[in-house]
């Protein structure tokens, strides 16, 4: 980070799915990518902190990038700690 501390990639990502995504479609994305709900972000519709399940094929960073590239999300960012 900007203070010289090491940061590591966590197993969580912050995601805001597009408004037209239904609950069923979001559940399908979670199943496809091996994600589970960590927190619903109440300040915005379809915004969540999602956690990558143990044994998932991809990291939070790869999943966040794919969600953006495939047009599923308005924003998606892996969390670093």
């Amino acid at each position: 980070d900007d203070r010289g501390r090491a940061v590591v990639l966590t197993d969580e990502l912050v995601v805001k799915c597009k408004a037209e995504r239904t609950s069923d479609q979001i559940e399908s994305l979670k199943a496809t990518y091996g994600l589970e709900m960590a927190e619903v972000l109440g300040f915005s519709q379809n915004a969540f902190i999602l956690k990558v399940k143990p044994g998932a094929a991809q990291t939070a960073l790869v999943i966040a990038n794919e969600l953006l590239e495939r047009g599923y999300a308005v924003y998606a960012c892996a969390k670093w700690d």
Side-chain angles (χ1 to χ4, degrees), residues 7-18:
V7 293
V8 295
L9 181 63
T10 70
D11 59 355
E12 293 184 332
L13 54 155
V14 179
V15 178
K16 177 173 174 50
C17 292
K18 291 187 174 182

Side-chain angles (χ1 to χ4, degrees), residues 3 6-10 12-13 18 22 26 28 30-32 37 39 41 49 51 53 65-66 70 75-76 78 81:
R3 296 184 198 150
V7 293
V8 295
L9 181 63
T10 70
E12 293 184 332
L13 54 155
K18 291 187 174 182
T22 66
I26 292 169
S28 178
K30 287 168 40 186
T32 297
M37 187 68 65
E39 184 178 345
L41 301 176
I49 297 177
K51 185 173 180 155
K53 292 180 180 178
N65 288 338
E66 281 194 25
R70 295 179 185 216
Y75 60 78
D81 195 11

Side-chain angles (χ1 to χ4, degrees), residues 9-15 35 50-52 56-67 76-80:
L9 181 63
T10 70
D11 59 355
E12 293 184 332
L13 54 155
V14 179
V15 178
L35 301 168
L50 301 174
K51 185 173 180 155
V52 180
Q58 299 171 319
T59 66
L61 182 59
V62 171
I63 295 169
N65 288 338
E66 281 194 25
L67 292 174
C77 180
K79 288 182 68 179
W80 296 82

Side-chain angles (χ1 to χ4, degrees), residues 19-56:
E20 62 269 15
R21 293 273 168 220
T22 66
S23 295
D24 288 342
Q25 289 171 320
I26 292 169
E27 289 301 316
S28 178
L29 283 175
K30 287 168 40 186
T32 297
Y33 288 99
L35 301 168
E36 60 189 7
M37 187 68 65
E39 184 178 345
V40 174
L41 301 176
F43 61 82
S44 185
Q45 178 186 5
N46 285 351
F48 316 99
I49 297 177
L50 301 174
K51 185 173 180 155
V52 180
K53 292 180 180 178

